[in-house]
């Protein structure tokens, strides 16, 4: 039994158990007002788990968020690295063991993790409406309102909004390929200069190709096995047809987009990728990417998505986790996060709802000069698919491409 099969089996077992048991309700915070929640949070320590693959993000959390929530709310924020299956595995084990005070209090998640955690009743909620700063969130934006086409229903807080881009070195690539046909032609003509990371970024790239192959809106709605089989077969045939011309002849794939960035900087790859459209400018500013780096979109569009914050159902520090969440969606924290010299993450706030002073600060943010404009990106923005598509792409990329 491979690790994935074991994970799915354990997931299904826990799903059965969770259906027959009640969620853990240590404290009914829904009956408290915000001042009472703040008082309850005073002096608590929040253990947060999040992806820590980018030094800018880590710096923002460690050097701005943690000291600010300590100063303003007397809440200590401890951050540990981990995402996706790691988070789900921890919560599955704890819930199965009946652990009342879990290891995690706040988690950074996206659509497929949200789906898995909701299936096992692993998330606390609904709580989002209790956060005063949610009044600023742009819930009219479908890219924020829905997570992988799932209504969030108050169980996770929108935190940031970004769009996938491909990054190339204009000093080496005169005309970047914008269609799958152009990409195949480029890869065959320049062997060893292209690959796909076996991580969230790589799967998001594959998902964009899958949508392009299926046609606009074909894969919208609930997961459709018949459609997935039809179009993923086309996708794997396409990838395998050019795989021998990939980096290392397609015998191995980078485990993360960070590794791809390094190969790009070393000159081995002509392309890397990013889920954050602002990353190309950030990395040029840092001196990590060459000044000739540019970001672009596929002709058929790329995925735009939001990322979210959730509170585990067995967190013993729910009040403090709510206070930290509320701070993270505050206009000032969102502005600091959106600054190109900090993180450059897109805000989830509707800046028209902000004070004139805060609105002006957002409007005055420097615009990226090495990526498509916001208008161009919005015109090419693709909605995320149902979470099962992402879960299947991870597994099938391994079995139909890496191991083939």
């Amino acid at each position: 039994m491979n690790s994935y099969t074991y994970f799915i089996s354990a997931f299904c077992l826990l799903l059965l158990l969770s259906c027959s048991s009640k969620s853990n309700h240590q404290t009914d915070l829904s009956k408290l007002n915000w001042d009472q929640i703040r008082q309850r949070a005073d002096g608590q320590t929040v253990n947060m788990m999040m992806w820590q693959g980018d030094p800018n993000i880590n710096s923002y959390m460690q050097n701005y968020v943690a000291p600010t929530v300590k100063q303003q709310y007397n809440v200590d924020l401890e951050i540990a690295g981990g995402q996706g299956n790691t988070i789900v595995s921890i919560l599955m084990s704890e819930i199965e063991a009946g652990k009342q005070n879990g290891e995690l209090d706040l988690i950074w998640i996206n659509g497929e993790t949200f789906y898995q955690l909701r299936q096992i009743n692993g998330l606390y909620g609904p709580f989002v409406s209790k956060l005063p700063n949610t009044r600023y969130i742009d819930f009219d934006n479908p890219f924020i309102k829905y997570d992988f086409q799932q209504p969030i229903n108050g169980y996770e807080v929108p935190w940031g909004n970004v769009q996938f881009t491909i990054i190339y070195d204009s000093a080496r690539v005169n005309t970047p390929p914008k269609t799958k046909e152009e990409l195949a032609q480029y890869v065959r003509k320049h062997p060893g200069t292209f690959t796909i990371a076996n991580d969230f970024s790589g799967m998001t790239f594959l998902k964009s190709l899958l949508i392009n192959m299926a046609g606009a809106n074909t894969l919208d709605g609930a997961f459709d096995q018949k459609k997935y089989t039809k179009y993923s077969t086309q996708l794997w045939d396409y990838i395998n047809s050019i795989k021998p011309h990939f980096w290392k002849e397609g015998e191995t794939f980078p485990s993360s987009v960070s590794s791809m960035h390094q190969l790009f900087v070393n000159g081995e790859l002509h392309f890397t990728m990013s889920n954050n459209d602002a990353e190309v400018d950030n990395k040029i500013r840092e001196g990590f990417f060459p000044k000739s780096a540019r970001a672009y979109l596929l002709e058929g569009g790329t995925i735009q998505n939001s990322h979210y914050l959730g509170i585990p159902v067995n967190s013993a520090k729910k009040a403090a986790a709510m206070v930290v969440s509320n701070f993270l969606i505050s206009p000032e924290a969102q502005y600091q996060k959106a600054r190109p010299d900090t993180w450059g993450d897109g805000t989830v706030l509707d800046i028209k709802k902000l004070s004139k002073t805060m609105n002006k600060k957002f409007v005055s943010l420097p615009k990226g000069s090495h990526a498509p404009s916001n208008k161009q990106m919005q015109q090419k923005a693709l909605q995320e698919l149902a979470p099962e598509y992402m879960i299947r792409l991870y597994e099938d990329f391994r079995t139909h491409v890496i191991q083939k």
Side-chain angles (χ1 to χ4, degrees), residues 7-178:
F7 179 83
I8 292 298
S9 300
F11 180 84
C12 292
L13 175 61
L14 186 56
L15 179 59
L16 290 172
L17 291 172
S18 67
C19 289
S20 60
S21 63
K22 293 181 178 180
S23 299
N24 174 22
H25 294 292
Q26 295 170 328
T27 306
D28 187 3
L29 298 176
S30 66
K31 299 186 185 306
L32 304 184
N33 61 38
W34 186 245
D35 286 340
Q36 292 170 319
I37 290 171
R38 281 188 55 176
Q39 290 172 12
R40 189 174 290 268
D42 184 68
Q44 291 190 336
T45 297
V46 170
N47 293 306
M48 181 176 185
M49 179 165 278
M50 57 177 280
W51 179 71
Q52 291 188 304
D54 187 295
N56 288 334
I57 296 174
N58 298 340
S59 177
Y60 169 76
M61 294 302 295
Q62 295 288 357
N63 300 324
Y64 171 70
V65 175
T68 307
V69 296
K70 177 63 176 177
Q71 179 185 32
Q72 294 187 6
Y73 307 106
N74 192 29
V75 172
D76 289 294
L77 182 63
E78 300 288 341
I79 301 172
Q83 59 178 326
N85 284 350
T86 302
I87 292 172
V88 177
S89 295
I90 290 172
L91 282 170
M92 284 171 62
S93 300
E94 291 181 346
I95 294 171
E96 191 173 13
K99 191 172 182 179
Q100 299 295 305
N101 299 325
E103 175 185 343
L104 307 176
D105 304 305
L106 187 62
I107 48 181
W108 182 12
I109 56 178
N110 55 42
E112 82 269 22
T113 306
F114 177 65
Y115 167 77
Q116 292 170 327
L117 293 178
R118 288 287 283 142
Q119 292 296 304
I120 63 171
N121 293 324
L123 289 174
Y124 169 69
F127 72 94
V128 175
S129 62
K130 299 290 289 187
L131 311 184
N133 286 328
T134 55
R135 66 184 184 275
Y136 301 122
I137 291 180
D138 185 9
F139 280 118
D140 290 332
N141 184 341
F143 290 94
I144 294 172
K145 183 177 182 180
Y146 298 102
D147 187 5
F148 281 48
Q149 306 213 9
Q150 308 159 101
I152 61 176
N153 289 337
Y155 281 83
E156 59 177 0
V157 187
W159 189 24
N161 176 263
V162 289
Q163 188 159 337
F164 181 87
T165 59
I166 302 174
I167 297 169
Y168 70 104
D169 186 348
S170 62
R172 289 178 288 177
V173 181
N174 291 326
T175 305
K178 294 186 176 180

Side-chain angles (χ1 to χ4, degrees), residues 341-375:
D341 57 346
T342 52
W343 178 345
D345 195 33
T347 184
V348 294
L349 305 185
D350 179 351
I351 63 171
K352 296 189 295 295
K353 297 179 179 177
L354 306 181
S355 67
K356 287 184 179 179
T357 300
M358 284 307 307
N359 179 283
K360 187 176 180 179
K361 291 175 74 171
F362 274 97
V363 171
S364 302
L365 281 168
K367 302 292 187 293
S369 57
H370 302 95
S373 67
N374 288 338
K375 182 179 179 181

Side-chain angles (χ1 to χ4, degrees), residues 153-310:
N153 289 337
Y155 281 83
E156 59 177 0
V157 187
W159 189 24
N161 176 263
V162 289
Q163 188 159 337
F164 181 87
T165 59
I166 302 174
I167 297 169
Y168 70 104
D169 186 348
S170 62
R172 289 178 288 177
V173 181
N174 291 326
T175 305
K178 294 186 176 180
T179 66
K180 67 179 190 301
E181 291 82 10
E182 291 176 359
L183 177 61
Q185 187 177 20
Y186 187 94
V187 169
R188 290 191 176 102
K189 191 174 181 179
H190 304 276
T193 63
F194 182 86
T195 191
I196 301 167
N198 185 21
D199 70 351
F200 187 86
S201 296
M203 298 310 107
T204 303
F205 169 71
L206 292 175
K207 198 162 22 179
S208 297
L209 289 181
L210 189 72
I211 295 172
N212 291 171
M213 289 176 174
N217 306 318
T218 301
L219 300 177
D220 286 355
F223 178 73
D224 187 312
Q225 178 64 52
K226 188 176 293 185
K227 288 180 181 177
Y228 175 75
T229 300
K230 177 181 179 180
Y231 295 111
S232 66
T233 299
Q234 294 178 22
L235 177 65
W236 305 135
D237 286 347
Y238 168 75
I239 295 296
N240 283 319
S241 73
I242 56 176
K243 174 185 162 184
H245 308 283
F246 279 14
W247 176 73
K248 299 289 186 184
E249 299 180 338
E251 294 293 329
T252 187
F253 291 82
S255 60
S256 68
V257 73
S258 300
S259 300
M260 276 191 71
H261 287 351
Q262 192 61 57
L263 293 168
F264 175 71
V265 169
N266 293 345
E268 291 188 62
L269 296 179
H270 289 181
F271 303 87
T272 186
M273 303 174 186
S274 178
N275 280 299
N276 183 353
D277 44 271
E279 187 166 20
V280 65
D281 284 286
N282 295 349
K283 291 288 190 287
I284 291 175
R285 189 176 300 104
E286 294 169 17
F288 184 61
F289 280 177
K291 293 181 180 178
S292 51
R294 301 287 184 273
Y296 74 101
L297 307 167
L298 294 173
E299 188 63 39
T302 61
I303 299 285
Q304 180 184 138
N305 69 20
S306 295
H307 44 94
Y308 299 81
L309 300 163

